[in-house]
Protein backbone atom coordinates (compact mmCIF):
# COMPACT_ATOMS: atom_id res chain seq x y z
CA UNK A 1 0.00 0.00 0.00
CA UNK A 2 2.80 2.43 0.81
CA UNK A 3 4.32 1.97 -2.62
CA UNK A 4 7.99 2.83 -3.19
CA UNK A 5 8.38 5.33 -0.36
CA UNK A 6 9.52 2.80 2.26
CA UNK A 7 12.36 0.33 1.75
CA UNK A 8 11.12 -2.00 4.49
CA UNK A 9 7.69 -3.11 5.61
CA UNK A 10 6.32 -2.20 9.03
CA UNK A 11 7.81 -3.82 12.10
CA UNK A 12 5.66 -6.11 14.22
CA UNK A 13 5.06 -3.32 16.74
CA UNK A 14 4.11 -0.82 14.06
CA UNK A 15 1.90 -3.39 12.38
CA UNK A 16 -0.03 -3.97 15.58
CA UNK A 17 -0.35 -0.36 16.73
CA UNK A 18 -1.28 0.83 13.24
CA UNK A 19 -4.01 -1.71 12.44
CA UNK A 20 -7.60 -0.67 13.06
CA UNK A 21 -9.34 -3.57 11.30
CA UNK A 22 -10.28 -5.30 14.61
CA UNK A 23 -12.74 -2.50 15.32
CA UNK A 24 -13.32 -0.49 12.15
CA UNK A 25 -14.58 -3.61 10.37
CA UNK A 26 -17.89 -2.55 11.95
CA UNK A 27 -18.01 0.11 9.23
CA UNK A 28 -18.09 -2.36 6.34
CA UNK A 29 -21.68 -1.65 5.30
CA UNK A 30 -21.06 2.08 5.29
CA UNK A 31 -17.78 1.62 3.44
CA UNK A 32 -19.44 -0.39 0.68
CA UNK A 33 -22.33 2.06 0.42
CA UNK A 34 -20.06 5.10 0.20
CA UNK A 35 -17.78 3.39 -2.31
CA UNK A 36 -20.73 2.57 -4.55
CA UNK A 37 -21.90 6.19 -4.43
CA UNK A 38 -18.36 7.37 -5.21
CA UNK A 39 -17.83 5.09 -8.21
CA UNK A 40 -21.28 5.91 -9.59
CA UNK A 41 -20.30 9.58 -9.51
CA UNK A 42 -16.93 8.83 -11.13
CA UNK A 43 -18.75 7.06 -13.94
CA UNK A 44 -21.33 9.84 -14.35
CA UNK A 45 -18.54 12.44 -14.53
CA UNK A 46 -16.55 10.41 -17.06
CA UNK A 47 -13.62 10.10 -14.67
CA UNK A 48 -13.82 6.33 -15.06
CA UNK A 49 -15.59 4.53 -17.88
CA UNK A 50 -19.16 3.39 -17.44
CA UNK A 51 -17.97 -0.19 -17.98
CA UNK A 52 -15.36 0.07 -15.21
CA UNK A 53 -17.87 1.71 -12.88
CA UNK A 54 -20.32 -1.13 -13.44
CA UNK A 55 -17.61 -3.76 -12.90
CA UNK A 56 -16.52 -2.12 -9.64
CA UNK A 57 -20.11 -1.84 -8.41
CA UNK A 58 -20.77 -5.51 -9.12
CA UNK A 59 -17.55 -6.42 -7.38
CA UNK A 60 -18.47 -4.35 -4.32
CA UNK A 61 -21.78 -6.19 -4.13
CA UNK A 62 -19.89 -9.49 -4.16
CA UNK A 63 -17.60 -8.31 -1.36
CA UNK A 64 -20.62 -7.20 0.66
CA UNK A 65 -22.26 -10.60 0.21
CA UNK A 66 -19.09 -12.30 1.47
CA UNK A 67 -18.92 -10.05 4.52
CA UNK A 68 -22.59 -10.66 5.25
CA UNK A 69 -22.16 -14.40 5.04
CA UNK A 70 -18.76 -14.91 6.64
CA UNK A 71 -17.80 -11.69 8.40
CA UNK A 72 -14.90 -9.37 7.63
CA UNK A 73 -11.47 -11.05 7.62
CA UNK A 74 -8.80 -9.49 9.83
CA UNK A 75 -5.53 -9.15 7.94
CA UNK A 76 -3.50 -6.65 9.94
CA UNK A 77 -1.16 -6.05 7.03
CA UNK A 78 -4.12 -4.41 5.27
CA UNK A 79 -4.63 -2.14 8.30
CA UNK A 80 -8.27 -1.16 7.99
CA UNK A 81 -11.67 -1.86 6.46
CA UNK A 82 -10.92 0.34 3.46
CA UNK A 83 -7.82 -1.52 2.32
CA UNK A 84 -9.38 -4.86 3.26
CA UNK A 85 -12.29 -4.17 0.94
CA UNK A 86 -10.14 -2.76 -1.85
CA UNK A 87 -7.80 -5.75 -1.65
CA UNK A 88 -10.63 -8.25 -1.88
CA UNK A 89 -12.19 -6.25 -4.70
CA UNK A 90 -8.92 -6.50 -6.65
CA UNK A 91 -8.87 -10.26 -6.14
CA UNK A 92 -12.39 -10.48 -7.56
CA UNK A 93 -12.24 -8.07 -10.51
CA UNK A 94 -8.57 -7.46 -11.14
CA UNK A 95 -6.64 -4.19 -11.67
CA UNK A 96 -9.77 -2.18 -12.47
CA UNK A 97 -10.41 -2.16 -8.71
CA UNK A 98 -7.61 0.39 -8.42
CA UNK A 99 -9.79 2.98 -10.16
CA UNK A 100 -12.19 3.06 -7.20
CA UNK A 101 -9.83 5.18 -5.12
CA UNK A 102 -9.61 7.92 -7.77
CA UNK A 103 -10.35 11.38 -6.34
CA UNK A 104 -10.62 10.28 -2.74
CA UNK A 105 -8.41 9.47 0.23
CA UNK A 106 -8.82 7.21 3.21
CA UNK A 107 -9.17 10.46 5.16
CA UNK A 108 -12.44 11.52 3.54
CA UNK A 109 -13.44 7.87 3.15
CA UNK A 110 -13.35 7.11 6.87
CA UNK A 111 -14.90 10.47 7.73
CA UNK A 112 -17.82 9.59 5.46
CA UNK A 113 -18.18 6.02 6.68
CA UNK A 114 -18.06 7.08 10.31
CA UNK A 115 -20.67 9.80 9.77
CA UNK A 116 -22.98 7.27 8.16
CA UNK A 117 -22.50 4.90 11.11
CA UNK A 118 -23.06 7.60 13.72
CA UNK A 119 -26.14 8.84 11.89
CA UNK A 120 -27.63 5.35 12.10
CA UNK A 121 -26.70 5.15 15.79
CA UNK A 122 -28.54 8.42 16.40
CA UNK A 123 -31.61 7.07 14.65
CA UNK A 124 -31.42 3.85 16.67
CA UNK A 125 -31.19 5.82 19.92
CA UNK A 126 -34.18 7.92 18.92
CA UNK A 127 -36.24 4.82 18.13
CA UNK A 128 -35.30 3.26 21.46
CA UNK A 129 -36.18 6.39 23.38
CA UNK A 130 -39.51 6.57 21.56
CA UNK A 131 -40.30 3.07 22.81
CA UNK A 132 -39.29 4.08 26.34
CA UNK A 133 -41.58 7.11 26.15
CA UNK A 134 -44.47 4.93 25.00
CA UNK A 135 -43.91 2.65 28.00
CA UNK A 136 -43.74 5.60 30.39
CA UNK A 137 -46.88 7.20 29.01
CA UNK A 138 -48.79 3.92 29.07
CA UNK A 139 -47.95 3.28 32.73
CA UNK A 140 -48.52 6.94 33.65
CA UNK A 141 -52.00 6.72 32.16
CA UNK A 142 -52.71 3.66 34.31
CA UNK A 143 -51.55 5.48 37.43
CA UNK A 144 -52.68 9.05 36.86
CA UNK A 145 -54.38 9.06 40.27
CA UNK A 146 -52.19 6.55 42.16
CA UNK A 147 -50.75 8.42 45.14
CA UNK A 148 -47.16 8.11 46.28
CA UNK A 149 -44.78 10.23 48.32
CA UNK A 150 -42.83 12.86 46.46
CA UNK A 151 -39.31 13.35 47.75
CA UNK A 152 -36.71 16.05 48.12
CA UNK A 153 -33.37 15.03 49.63
CA UNK A 154 -34.94 11.54 49.60
CA UNK A 155 -37.15 12.76 52.44
CA UNK A 156 -40.94 12.71 52.16
CA UNK A 157 -41.96 16.13 50.85
CA UNK A 158 -45.46 16.23 49.35
CA UNK A 159 -47.85 13.66 47.94
CA UNK A 160 -47.66 13.22 44.18
CA UNK A 161 -49.15 10.77 41.74
CA UNK A 162 -47.18 7.89 40.26
CA UNK A 163 -48.31 9.00 36.84
CA UNK A 164 -46.78 12.41 37.44
CA UNK A 165 -43.53 10.82 38.59
CA UNK A 166 -43.29 8.63 35.48
CA UNK A 167 -44.08 11.55 33.20
CA UNK A 168 -41.05 13.38 34.58
CA UNK A 169 -38.92 10.73 32.88
CA UNK A 170 -40.97 11.11 29.71
CA UNK A 171 -39.86 14.75 29.64
CA UNK A 172 -36.22 13.76 30.15
CA UNK A 173 -36.46 11.30 27.26
CA UNK A 174 -38.03 14.00 25.10
CA UNK A 175 -35.05 16.25 25.72
CA UNK A 176 -32.70 13.36 24.99
CA UNK A 177 -34.42 12.77 21.67
CA UNK A 178 -34.18 16.47 20.84
CA UNK A 179 -30.43 16.38 21.43
CA UNK A 180 -29.99 13.44 19.07
CA UNK A 181 -32.21 15.18 16.51
CA UNK A 182 -30.19 18.40 16.76
CA UNK A 183 -26.94 16.48 16.43
CA UNK A 184 -28.21 14.56 13.43
CA UNK A 185 -29.29 17.73 11.64
CA UNK A 186 -25.95 19.38 12.33
CA UNK A 187 -23.81 16.46 11.15
CA UNK A 188 -25.71 15.65 7.97
CA UNK A 189 -23.12 16.92 5.51
CA UNK A 190 -20.91 14.71 3.37
CA UNK A 191 -17.10 14.90 3.59
CA UNK A 192 -16.70 12.57 0.60
CA UNK A 193 -14.58 14.26 -2.06
CA UNK A 194 -12.52 16.34 0.36
CA UNK A 195 -9.77 13.79 -0.39
CA UNK A 196 -6.70 13.87 1.85
CA UNK A 197 -7.13 17.45 3.04
CA UNK A 198 -7.12 19.87 0.07
CA UNK A 199 -9.82 18.59 -2.25
CA UNK A 200 -9.05 17.06 -5.65
CA UNK A 201 -8.17 18.17 -9.16
CA UNK A 202 -10.65 15.74 -10.71
CA UNK A 203 -14.02 17.17 -11.85
CA UNK A 204 -16.05 15.36 -9.19
CA UNK A 205 -19.64 16.11 -8.22
CA UNK A 206 -19.75 16.22 -4.43
CA UNK A 207 -23.40 17.24 -4.40
CA UNK A 208 -24.29 14.04 -6.24
CA UNK A 209 -22.50 11.79 -3.76
CA UNK A 210 -23.95 13.74 -0.84
CA UNK A 211 -27.47 13.25 -2.17
CA UNK A 212 -26.86 9.57 -2.92
CA UNK A 213 -25.83 8.99 0.70
CA UNK A 214 -28.75 10.91 2.19
CA UNK A 215 -26.76 13.96 3.24
CA UNK A 216 -28.21 17.43 2.95
CA UNK A 217 -25.12 18.84 1.24
CA UNK A 218 -21.37 18.36 1.00
CA UNK A 219 -19.13 19.87 3.67
CA UNK A 220 -17.77 23.30 2.76
CA UNK A 221 -14.11 23.08 3.79
CA UNK A 222 -11.85 20.20 2.88
CA UNK A 223 -9.53 20.66 5.86
CA UNK A 224 -12.42 20.62 8.31
CA UNK A 225 -14.06 17.75 6.44
CA UNK A 226 -11.34 15.23 7.21
CA UNK A 227 -10.40 16.47 10.68
CA UNK A 228 -13.86 17.08 12.17
CA UNK A 229 -15.17 14.63 14.74
CA UNK A 230 -17.73 16.99 16.28
CA UNK A 231 -20.46 14.70 15.06
CA UNK A 232 -19.03 11.82 17.12
CA UNK A 233 -18.67 14.07 20.17
CA UNK A 234 -22.22 15.33 19.70
CA UNK A 235 -23.43 11.75 19.66
CA UNK A 236 -21.47 10.90 22.79
CA UNK A 237 -22.69 14.01 24.60
CA UNK A 238 -26.29 13.14 23.81
CA UNK A 239 -25.62 9.51 24.77
CA UNK A 240 -24.02 10.55 28.06
CA UNK A 241 -26.96 12.78 29.00
CA UNK A 242 -29.37 10.00 28.09
CA UNK A 243 -27.36 7.55 30.18
CA UNK A 244 -27.55 9.91 33.16
CA UNK A 245 -31.33 10.03 32.86
CA UNK A 246 -31.55 6.26 32.53
CA UNK A 247 -29.29 5.90 35.56
CA UNK A 248 -31.61 8.10 37.62
CA UNK A 249 -34.61 6.02 36.60
CA UNK A 250 -32.69 2.84 37.36
CA UNK A 251 -31.81 4.16 40.82
CA UNK A 252 -35.47 4.85 41.52
CA UNK A 253 -36.37 1.25 40.70
CA UNK A 254 -33.48 -0.03 42.82
CA UNK A 255 -34.68 1.98 45.82
CA UNK A 256 -38.34 1.17 45.25
CA UNK A 257 -37.59 -2.56 45.00
CA UNK A 258 -35.80 -2.65 48.36
CA UNK A 259 -37.74 -4.15 51.25
CA UNK A 260 -37.96 -0.92 53.32
CA UNK A 261 -39.78 0.71 50.39
CA UNK A 262 -41.48 -2.22 48.68
CA UNK A 263 -43.04 0.08 46.08
CA UNK A 264 -42.42 -2.28 43.15
CA UNK A 265 -42.00 -5.90 42.19
CA UNK A 266 -39.49 -6.07 39.39
CA UNK A 267 -39.98 -8.55 36.55
CA UNK A 268 -38.12 -11.84 36.95
CA UNK A 269 -36.72 -11.40 33.46
CA UNK A 270 -34.72 -8.34 34.56
CA UNK A 271 -33.65 -9.61 37.99
CA UNK A 272 -31.20 -12.18 39.31
CA UNK A 273 -30.84 -14.34 42.39
CA UNK A 274 -28.04 -14.94 44.87
CA UNK A 275 -25.63 -17.86 44.88
CA UNK A 276 -25.94 -18.18 48.66
CA UNK A 277 -29.14 -16.40 49.77
CA UNK A 278 -32.18 -18.09 48.20
CA UNK A 279 -34.59 -15.32 49.21
CA UNK A 280 -32.78 -12.63 47.18
CA UNK A 281 -34.17 -11.01 44.06
CA UNK A 282 -31.57 -8.55 42.92
CA UNK A 283 -32.22 -5.59 40.58
CA UNK A 284 -29.10 -6.35 38.57
CA UNK A 285 -30.37 -4.97 35.26
CA UNK A 286 -31.10 -1.61 36.87
CA UNK A 287 -27.76 -1.65 38.67
CA UNK A 288 -25.94 -2.34 35.41
CA UNK A 289 -27.77 0.53 33.71
CA UNK A 290 -26.60 2.72 36.58
CA UNK A 291 -23.05 1.40 36.17
CA UNK A 292 -23.02 1.66 32.38
CA UNK A 293 -23.70 5.39 32.65
CA UNK A 294 -20.18 5.80 34.01
CA UNK A 295 -18.71 3.91 31.08
CA UNK A 296 -20.64 5.99 28.56
CA UNK A 297 -19.48 9.23 30.20
CA UNK A 298 -15.97 7.75 30.10
CA UNK A 299 -16.31 7.20 26.34
CA UNK A 300 -17.18 10.86 25.90
CA UNK A 301 -14.21 11.92 27.99
CA UNK A 302 -11.92 9.59 26.03
CA UNK A 303 -12.75 11.12 22.66
CA UNK A 304 -12.68 14.67 23.99
CA UNK A 305 -9.14 14.14 25.24
CA UNK A 306 -8.14 12.45 21.96
CA UNK A 307 -9.31 15.46 19.96
CA UNK A 308 -7.85 18.08 22.30
CA UNK A 309 -5.11 20.07 20.61
CA UNK A 310 -4.96 18.18 17.30
CA UNK A 311 -3.65 20.41 14.50
CA UNK A 312 -5.31 20.36 11.09
CA UNK A 313 -5.87 18.19 9.25
CA UNK A 314 -5.94 14.43 9.84
CA UNK A 315 -3.76 12.86 12.52
CA UNK A 316 -3.44 9.17 13.33
CA UNK A 317 -4.73 9.87 16.85
CA UNK A 318 -8.15 10.06 15.21
CA UNK A 319 -8.04 6.32 14.58
CA UNK A 320 -9.01 6.09 18.25
CA UNK A 321 -12.29 7.91 17.59
CA UNK A 322 -14.31 4.81 16.82
CA UNK A 323 -13.86 2.44 19.82
CA UNK A 324 -15.46 4.82 22.36
CA UNK A 325 -18.36 5.57 20.04
CA UNK A 326 -18.95 1.91 19.25
CA UNK A 327 -18.77 1.01 22.96
CA UNK A 328 -21.11 3.79 24.03
CA UNK A 329 -23.64 2.95 21.32
CA UNK A 330 -23.74 -0.70 22.33
CA UNK A 331 -24.15 0.14 26.01
CA UNK A 332 -26.77 2.80 25.35
CA UNK A 333 -28.89 0.45 23.26
CA UNK A 334 -28.84 -2.11 26.07
CA UNK A 335 -29.64 0.46 28.74
CA UNK A 336 -32.62 1.91 26.88
CA UNK A 337 -33.99 -1.56 26.19
CA UNK A 338 -33.52 -2.65 29.82
CA UNK A 339 -35.31 0.36 31.27
CA UNK A 340 -38.09 0.12 28.69
CA UNK A 341 -38.68 -3.49 29.68
CA UNK A 342 -38.58 -2.57 33.35
CA UNK A 343 -41.17 0.19 32.97
CA UNK A 344 -43.41 -2.09 30.92
CA UNK A 345 -43.30 -5.14 33.19
CA UNK A 346 -42.85 -3.84 36.74
CA UNK A 347 -45.73 -4.27 39.17
CA UNK A 348 -46.36 -1.06 41.09
CA UNK A 349 -47.54 -1.68 44.65
CA UNK A 350 -49.76 1.36 44.92
CA UNK A 351 -51.05 0.36 48.35
CA UNK A 352 -47.53 0.63 49.76
CA UNK A 353 -46.98 3.89 47.93
CA UNK A 354 -50.15 5.45 49.28
CA UNK A 355 -49.39 4.33 52.83
CA UNK A 356 -45.93 5.87 52.57
CA UNK A 357 -47.43 9.12 51.27
CA UNK A 358 -49.37 9.46 54.51
CA UNK A 359 -46.17 9.33 56.57
CA UNK A 360 -43.73 12.14 57.16
CA UNK A 361 -46.35 14.93 57.35
CA UNK A 362 -46.45 15.22 53.59
CA UNK A 363 -49.55 17.45 53.70
CA UNK A 364 -47.89 20.10 55.88
CA UNK A 365 -47.62 22.46 52.92
CA UNK A 366 -51.35 21.98 52.35
CA UNK A 367 -52.04 23.25 55.88
CA UNK A 368 -49.88 26.30 55.22
CA UNK A 369 -51.60 26.92 51.88
CA UNK A 370 -55.02 26.57 53.55
CA UNK A 371 -54.07 29.22 56.12
CA UNK A 372 -53.04 31.55 53.28
CA UNK A 373 -56.19 30.96 51.23
CA UNK A 374 -58.84 30.70 53.91
CA UNK A 375 -57.46 32.87 56.72
CA UNK A 376 -55.55 35.45 54.69
CA UNK A 377 -52.34 34.80 56.61
CA UNK A 378 -49.02 35.70 54.91
CA UNK A 379 -47.25 32.53 53.80
CA UNK A 380 -44.20 32.99 56.04
CA UNK A 381 -46.47 33.25 59.10
CA UNK A 382 -48.52 30.28 57.87
CA UNK A 383 -45.26 28.34 57.48
CA UNK A 384 -44.39 29.01 61.12
CA UNK A 385 -47.87 28.01 62.34
CA UNK A 386 -47.69 24.78 60.35
CA UNK A 387 -44.28 23.99 61.75
CA UNK A 388 -45.73 24.22 65.25
CA UNK A 389 -48.59 21.88 64.28
CA UNK A 390 -46.14 19.35 62.80
CA UNK A 391 -44.03 19.48 65.97
CA UNK A 392 -47.09 18.79 68.10
CA UNK A 393 -48.29 15.91 65.91
CA UNK A 394 -44.80 14.43 65.84
CA UNK A 395 -44.54 14.56 69.63
CA UNK A 396 -47.77 12.57 69.85
CA UNK A 397 -46.90 10.15 67.05
CA UNK A 398 -49.99 11.00 65.00
CA UNK A 399 -50.72 12.44 61.56
CA UNK A 400 -51.62 16.09 61.04
CA UNK A 401 -55.24 15.31 60.24
CA UNK A 402 -55.50 13.41 63.54
CA UNK A 403 -54.80 16.50 65.64
CA UNK A 404 -57.97 17.65 67.40
CA UNK A 405 -59.36 20.97 66.21
CA UNK A 406 -58.91 22.41 69.68
CA UNK A 407 -55.18 21.75 69.55
CA UNK A 408 -54.88 23.35 66.12
CA UNK A 409 -56.85 26.39 67.33
CA UNK A 410 -54.60 26.61 70.38
CA UNK A 411 -51.73 27.12 67.94
CA UNK A 412 -53.74 29.65 65.90
CA UNK A 413 -57.38 30.61 66.51
CA UNK A 414 -58.01 31.23 62.82
CA UNK A 415 -58.02 27.50 62.06
CA UNK A 416 -61.50 25.99 61.68
CA UNK A 417 -62.98 22.58 60.84
CA UNK A 418 -62.70 23.17 57.09
CA UNK A 419 -58.95 22.56 57.36
CA UNK A 420 -59.42 18.78 57.56
CA UNK A 421 -60.68 18.66 53.97
CA UNK A 422 -57.28 19.94 52.85
CA UNK A 423 -55.16 17.52 54.87
CA UNK A 424 -55.84 14.21 53.09
CA UNK A 425 -53.35 13.01 50.50
CA UNK A 426 -56.14 12.91 47.90
CA UNK A 427 -57.00 16.55 48.56
CA UNK A 428 -53.31 17.43 48.44
CA UNK A 429 -52.68 16.03 44.97
CA UNK A 430 -56.01 17.30 43.65
CA UNK A 431 -55.11 20.82 44.77
CA UNK A 432 -51.89 20.81 42.70
CA UNK A 433 -53.81 21.59 39.53
CA UNK A 434 -51.53 24.29 38.15
CA UNK A 435 -50.19 23.59 34.66
CA UNK A 436 -47.65 20.79 34.94
CA UNK A 437 -48.75 19.90 38.47
CA UNK A 438 -49.39 16.49 39.98
CA UNK A 439 -53.19 16.65 40.05
CA UNK A 440 -54.70 13.67 38.21
CA UNK A 441 -56.45 15.99 35.75
CA UNK A 442 -53.09 17.57 34.88
CA UNK A 443 -51.39 14.19 34.54
CA UNK A 444 -54.13 12.98 32.19
CA UNK A 445 -53.80 16.16 30.13
CA UNK A 446 -50.03 15.70 29.79
CA UNK A 447 -50.52 12.03 28.91
CA UNK A 448 -53.00 12.99 26.18
CA UNK A 449 -50.53 15.52 24.75
CA UNK A 450 -47.74 12.97 24.88
CA UNK A 451 -49.78 10.34 23.08
CA UNK A 452 -50.36 12.78 20.22
CA UNK A 453 -46.65 13.73 20.15
CA UNK A 454 -45.68 10.05 20.02
CA UNK A 455 -48.08 9.31 17.17
CA UNK A 456 -50.28 7.08 19.32
CA UNK A 457 -53.46 9.07 18.62
Amino acid sequence: MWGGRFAEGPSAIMREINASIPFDKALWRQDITASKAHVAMLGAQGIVSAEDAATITTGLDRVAAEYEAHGVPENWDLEDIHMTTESRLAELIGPVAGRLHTARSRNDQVATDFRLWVREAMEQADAGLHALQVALVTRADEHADSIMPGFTHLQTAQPVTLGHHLMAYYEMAARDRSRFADARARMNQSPLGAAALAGTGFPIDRHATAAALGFDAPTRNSLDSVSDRDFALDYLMAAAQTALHLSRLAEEFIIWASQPFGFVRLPDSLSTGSSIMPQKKNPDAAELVRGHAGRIVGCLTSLMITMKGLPLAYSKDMQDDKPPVFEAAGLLTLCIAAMTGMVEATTFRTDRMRAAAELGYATATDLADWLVRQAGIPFREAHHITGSAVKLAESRGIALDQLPLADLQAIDARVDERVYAALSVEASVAARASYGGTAPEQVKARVAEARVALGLE
Side-chain angles (χ1 to χ4, degrees):
M1 179 188 63
W2 294 342
R5 173 65 179 85
F6 293 86
E8 299 177 2
S11 69
I13 293 173
M14 186 60 195
R15 174 178 175 271
E16 183 165 348
I17 198 172
N18 197 46
S20 60
I21 188 63
F23 54 83
D24 71 15
K25 64 184 180 181
L27 298 174
W28 74 262
R29 290 181 177 84
Q30 292 75 23
D31 196 61
I32 296 287
T33 298
S35 291
K36 289 173 68 174
H38 181 67
V39 76
M41 178 275 296
L42 294 177
Q45 293 296 105
I47 298 171
V48 302
S49 69
E51 180 182 359
D52 285 350
T55 299
I56 291 170
T57 298
T58 300
L60 287 169
D61 286 336
R62 290 176 62 187
V63 175
E66 290 180 359
Y67 290 170
E68 190 72 60
H70 308 295
V72 179
E74 290 188 22
N75 182 344
W76 288 19
D77 289 330
L78 294 172
E79 293 189 13
D80 56 32
I81 184 60
H82 320 300
M83 296 310 301
T84 297
T85 297
E86 186 173 326
S87 174
R88 180 56 181 152
L89 183 65
E91 291 173 354
L92 292 173
I93 66 173
V96 70
R99 299 189 184 281
L100 172 60
H101 209 53
T102 305
R104 75 174 183 186
S105 160
R106 284 191 298 173
N107 293 354
D108 64 330
Q109 191 177 357
V110 70
T112 303
D113 294 352
F114 197 23
R115 280 194 190 227
L116 290 171
W117 194 97
V118 171
R119 188 173 69 186
E120 291 176 18
M122 290 176 176
E123 292 167 355
Q124 184 178 32
D126 181 74
L129 287 167
H130 179 275
L132 175 60
Q133 286 183 299
V134 170
L136 288 165
V137 167
T138 300
R139 301 311 302 272
D141 196 19
E142 293 174 26
H143 295 287
D145 56 1
S146 298
I147 295 173
M148 65 174 291
F151 300 95
T152 61
H153 309 278
L154 207 56
Q155 304 292 312
T156 299
Q158 294 176 314
V160 296
T161 56
L162 175 56
H164 191 55
H165 195 110
L166 294 173
M167 287 300 289
Y169 286 97
Y170 167 87
E171 295 296 336
M172 295 182 209
R175 293 193 296 275
D176 293 331
R177 292 183 68 191
S178 74
R179 275 182 280 270
F180 282 115
D182 290 345
R184 189 194 185 288
R186 189 163 43 250
M187 62 87 71
N188 204 38
Q189 297 179 340
S190 172
L192 190 57
L197 75 162
T200 178
F202 289 96
I204 62 173
D205 185 349
R206 294 189 62 209
H207 288 83
T209 51
L213 296 171
F215 290 110
D216 297 327
T219 50
R220 293 183 293 271
N221 183 285
S222 60
L223 283 168
D224 181 55
S225 299
V226 298
S227 60
D228 167 45
R229 292 301 183 270
D230 287 3
F231 63 92
L233 288 168
D234 279 352
Y235 171 79
L236 287 173
M237 285 186 234
Q241 183 64 75
T242 301
L244 296 182
H245 288 154
L246 294 171
S247 181
R248 295 181 72 180
L249 179 58
E251 174 69 0
E252 302 259 36
F253 277 92
I254 292 165
I255 292 171
W256 291 353
S258 65
Q259 281 78 11
F261 276 77
F263 285 3
V264 299
R265 282 192 293 269
L266 297 180
D268 290 348
S269 59
L270 292 170
S271 305
T272 66
S274 165
S275 63
I276 189 172
M277 295 169 285
Q279 83 281 9
K280 294 291 294 297
K281 183 177 180 180
N282 299 325
D284 281 13
E287 290 174 353
L288 286 167
V289 169
R290 187 176 60 184
H292 287 352
R295 291 175 62 187
I296 292 171
V297 172
C299 290
L300 168 61
T301 303
S302 171
L303 185 54
M304 291 177 76
I305 299 303
T306 296
M307 296 304 298
K308 179 195 69 67
L310 288 186
L312 294 177
Y314 181 83
S315 296
K316 196 67 170 180
D317 312 45
M318 293 166 67
Q319 182 168 290
D320 285 339
D321 57 359
K322 287 168 281 299
V325 174
F326 293 164
E327 180 182 2
L331 292 172
L332 185 65
T333 299
L334 276 174
C335 290
I336 294 173
M339 293 316 301
T340 301
M342 202 165 296
V343 171
E344 288 174 340
T346 287
T347 299
F348 293 102
R349 300 183 62 187
T350 53
D351 55 336
R352 296 269 302 191
M353 291 182 171
R354 191 191 184 288
E358 293 181 331
L359 303 175
Y361 306 100
T363 59
T365 304
D366 297 279
L367 173 55
D369 288 348
W370 184 91
L371 290 168
V372 171
R373 288 194 305 266
Q374 301 300 326
I377 300 173
F379 182 80
R380 285 301 171 199
E381 183 182 352
H383 187 281
H384 180 77
I385 294 168
T386 300
S388 298
V390 169
K391 185 177 181 180
L392 178 60
E394 190 174 39
S395 69
R396 296 182 182 176
I398 60 175
L400 272 177
D401 60 359
Q402 293 176 321
L403 282 173
L405 181 59
D407 288 341
L408 288 171
Q409 289 177 330
I411 296 171
D412 193 283
R414 289 167 289 189
V415 178
D416 61 46
E417 67 279 353
R418 293 175 299 167
V419 73
Y420 291 105
L423 294 182
S424 70
V425 290
E426 287 82 7
S428 177
V429 297
R432 295 324 192 260
S434 57
Y435 184 86
T438 193
E441 66 184 70
Q442 282 294 316
V443 175
K444 290 174 182 175
R446 301 292 79 75
V447 165
E449 292 170 354
R451 289 183 64 83
V452 171
L454 294 171
L456 302 177
E457 299 291 347

